[in-house]
Amino acid sequence: MKLDKTLGQLFAATATLFLAASVHAGIIVSSYSMPDGADLYGAYFDNLYNGASDSNRYLSGGTGDLTDGVLTSSVAAGYGAWAPYVLWIGQSPKIIFDLGGLYALTDVTAYFKYYPQAAVYIPGSVSLRFSSDGVSFGSAQQRLFDNTERVPGGNDSNGIYHLLGGSATAQFVELTLNNGPENYWLALSEVVFDGATATAVNSVPEPDTGELLFGAAIALGLLRIRQEPKRSARRMW
Ligand SMILES: [Ca+2]
Ligand SMILES: [Ca+2]
């Protein structure tokens, strides 16, 4: 009986661990801007986008399908089942994410859908550029996908890729999904950023405890020096 209970607790703990591992929260993205996906089947565009869309269907100032926490989902049910994805055809869309503050990034993960029967492929590569102000971006990092990576499985399989090639500190991240040799559909579900908040290098550093103590010691020393002549004078009397 006791062993059963212990085993039960162990299974419950393991289940919690697996549940935690299936969630990838990351940094809360403030907004992203990009050309909207195809206006087809009530599903291929960015269904959840809550920002503005201009006359060219360029999205800005909001978030949507790419940051809603739905990382992967089956599209076996048909056209409508692609709603959690944004799909572009024959394009290499550029997406600019605003992380809402400066971060030292440790990981950028992209979740794509692969469905060759429907001509939905993995990009040939992704270019990344970083910026602290959203105006000047540094030189691009290229993340190439080799032929093995570009075939993550059969129809309805998920292509999950870590994009960051080195360290990067940024508030704005620009991703360009470079369409592969097929130049057909790309289907993106989510982009997740991981990292720690960072402070700008030109900010004034706060004095730490050691510096404060050192300052206090100097002040005390100066006080003693000032008091010294008084004592000497008293002795003279
Ligand atoms: Ca999503
Ligand atoms: Ca969609």
Side-chain angles (χ1 to χ4, degrees), residues 43-47 65 82-87:
Y44 289 14
F45 60 94
D46 196 328
N47 294 68
D65 290 352
W82 289 90
Y85 292 82
V86 178
L87 288 92

Side-chain angles (χ1 to χ4, degrees), residues 72-144:
T72 61
S73 61
S74 173
V75 295
Y79 294 122
W82 289 90
Y85 292 82
V86 178
L87 288 92
W88 299 270
I89 184 166
Q91 274 178 280
S92 293
K94 187 181 285 183
I95 313 165
I96 301 168
F97 293 88
D98 178 357
L99 306 179
L102 203 62
Y103 284 88
L105 295 169
T106 54
D107 207 356
V108 179
T109 316
Y111 294 77
F112 291 92
K113 179 62 79 181
Y114 180 67
Y115 207 118
Q117 198 186 338
V120 179
Y121 301 101
I122 301 299
S125 68
V126 173
S127 314
L128 298 93
R129 295 203 303 159
F130 306 95
S131 172
S132 57
D133 59 8
V135 178
S136 33
F137 284 81
S139 55
Q141 278 184 14
Q142 297 292 339
R143 172 65 167 89
L144 295 168

